Amino acid sequence: MTLALGCIADDYTGASDLANSLAKAGLRTVQTIGVPAAGLALPEIDAIVCAFKIRSVPAADAVAAALQAETWLRGQGAGHVLYKVCSTFDSTDEGNIGPVTDALRARAGEPIALVNSAFPEAGRTIYQGHLFVGALPLNESPLKDHPLNPMTDANLVRVLARQSRSGVGLVDRKTIAAGDAAVAARLAALVQEGKGAAIADTIEDADLETLGRVAMTHKVSTGASGLGLGIARALVASGRVRAATSGSAGLEVVGGPAACLAGSCSQATLGQIAEAERIMPVLRLDAERLGTDGIAETDRAIAFAGERIGAGPVLVASSGTPDEVAAVQAKFGRDAAGHAIEAGMARIAEALVARGVRRLVVAGGETSGAVVERLAIPAFRLGPEIAPGVPVLHALGIAGGPMVLALKSGNFGAPTFFADALKLMP
Ligand SMILES: Nc1ncnc2c1ncn2[C@@H]1O[C@H](COP(=O)(O)OP(=O)(O)OP(=O)(O)O)[C@@H](O)[C@H]1O
Ligand SMILES: O=C(O)[C@@H](O)C(=O)CO
């Protein structure tokens, strides 16, 4: 197997979002959980997305994980490695986008890395270095209230500079519209100015195609699904990959009980939970009790779901409004609250799978990471797309027969997302 593209994703929902974009562009793609064990049999593929849970861990841990994955991906033949970050640039002044990009660039011996988190299909665009979420600048969007990494500055050149060793410059839209040579010249000029990373503007997919072609002349880049799409299209257009009609599988029946878990506190997920209440039993966890008496609170959820999954899907949610999240964080501290709630969700998932659940929908990247790690699923192949950035995932390398999951990024999906997902997970 010779890989055309190796990717390292900083969270699990982001990994499946990227894998979905690559598959839609025709790349045969597998998502692995971390670096897979040597014995895991992988099908013939063009791209691998190694999923990690390194968005909100200490920067040194994120760098170590990314470098380990880089070594493995290069060993599989990857000429280019894309570090997949969130389209809303989720990070803090400590990292981890800057430190990991610096480390991957140094490892590859590259003077500069393109950094672009745009995903126009999901409403993420960048102009003059400023990230917009729909019509709102990042710092006015719901991301300002994110429980782990509130985003309070829309200027990505500044945001990345605060967390990087290297200087950061801008490749603006006008330069991108002028084509590949103009972008390459701008990058060369930034290197002369001593910059080690370049935020690139993007308004539409055509910009990403230019950036994808330029990225492929380098060994490493950092971006979201949009840049992945640009790179995938560049690989197909150059003939380095023969595009499959679709890199993902069609609808497959798995059957058995279904459950949904939500740990994301995004506005989108809060709306989806409210909508789900119309069609399935929903248990709202007491987040504070998860912190003080996690076993009792998760036992309550396991009993609630266990009594009902025979009759149809159920949803268990820890998600709270910004005020509720603030109250829980004031009591336990931000990280401790997040860890306790994630551990609770993982315990509930494990218990539900032990009770026969083979169709599982999880909302939230950190939450999905905790759940998938607990279920010890080594890899996924791609199924149909539920919503932009959210595919059905078929578990590979597990015992007990087929199992499908959907790992939803907090902000993604229509209000009817949970019903939409279950329809494609028969
Ligand atoms: N009621 C709550 N109070 C405080 N923190 C919570 C609460 N419910 C969930 N959390 C924590 O908030 C964090 C949500 O992060 P998660 O990545 O799961 O969602 P997200 O950021 O919306 O999704 P994504 O990363 O895909 O955009 C988790 O650490 C979760 O445990
Ligand atoms: O890029 C995105 O917005 C998502 O794939 C994601 O990473 C959310 O966690």
Side-chain angles (χ1 to χ4, degrees), residues 338-349:
H339 290 148
I341 296 169
E342 289 166 32
M345 293 307 240
R347 182 167 187 263
I348 296 167

Side-chain angles (χ1 to χ4, degrees), residues 284-287 289-290 293-302:
R284 291 176 183 273
L285 290 162
D286 180 335
R289 194 158 176 239
L290 280 173
D293 194 357
I295 298 292
E297 185 59 3
T298 48
D299 278 348
R300 184 170 77 91
I302 294 161

Side-chain angles (χ1 to χ4, degrees), residues 102-131:
D102 282 339
L104 291 174
R105 183 175 63 75
R107 171 70 71 81
E110 288 274 4
I112 194 160
L114 261 179
V115 179
N116 175 283
S117 73
F119 189 16
E121 192 186 352
R124 277 59 156 159
T125 55
I126 303 172
Y127 187 66
Q128 295 297 341
H130 289 70
L131 177 60

Side-chain angles (χ1 to χ4, degrees), residues 188-250:
L190 288 174
V191 171
Q192 289 308 312
E193 290 172 23
K195 311 286 194 222
I199 296 288
D201 279 354
T202 287
I203 305 297
E204 57 194 13
D205 282 2
D207 301 332
L208 294 167
E209 290 176 10
T210 304
L211 294 175
R213 285 191 300 274
V214 175
M216 286 308 293
T217 65
H218 295 259
K219 288 196 190 123
V220 66
S221 58
T222 291
S225 278
L227 186 58
L229 181 74
I231 291 173
R233 288 190 180 160
L235 284 167
V236 171
S238 69
R240 288 167 69 183
V241 168
R242 186 147 26 91
T245 355
S246 165
S248 36

Side-chain angles (χ1 to χ4, degrees), residues 11 13-14 53 55-56 86 88 90 124 143 146-149 262-267 269 285-288 290 317-321 324-329 334-335 337-343 345 363-369 408-412:
D11 87 342
T13 50
K53 191 173 180 302
R55 187 173 289 173
S56 307
C86 191
T88 47
D90 293 18
R124 277 59 156 159
L143 273 299
H146 192 280
L148 303 179
N149 43 256
S264 165
C265 301
S266 70
Q267 269 184 19
T269 303
L285 290 162
D286 180 335
E288 213 175 300
L290 280 173
S318 70
S319 322
T321 61
E324 290 164 346
V325 169
V328 172
Q329 292 187 338
R334 186 191 66 176
D335 290 347
H339 290 148
I341 296 169
E342 289 166 32
M345 293 307 240
E366 296 296 324
T367 310
S368 297
K408 186 192 84 75
S409 294
N411 293 299
F412 286 1

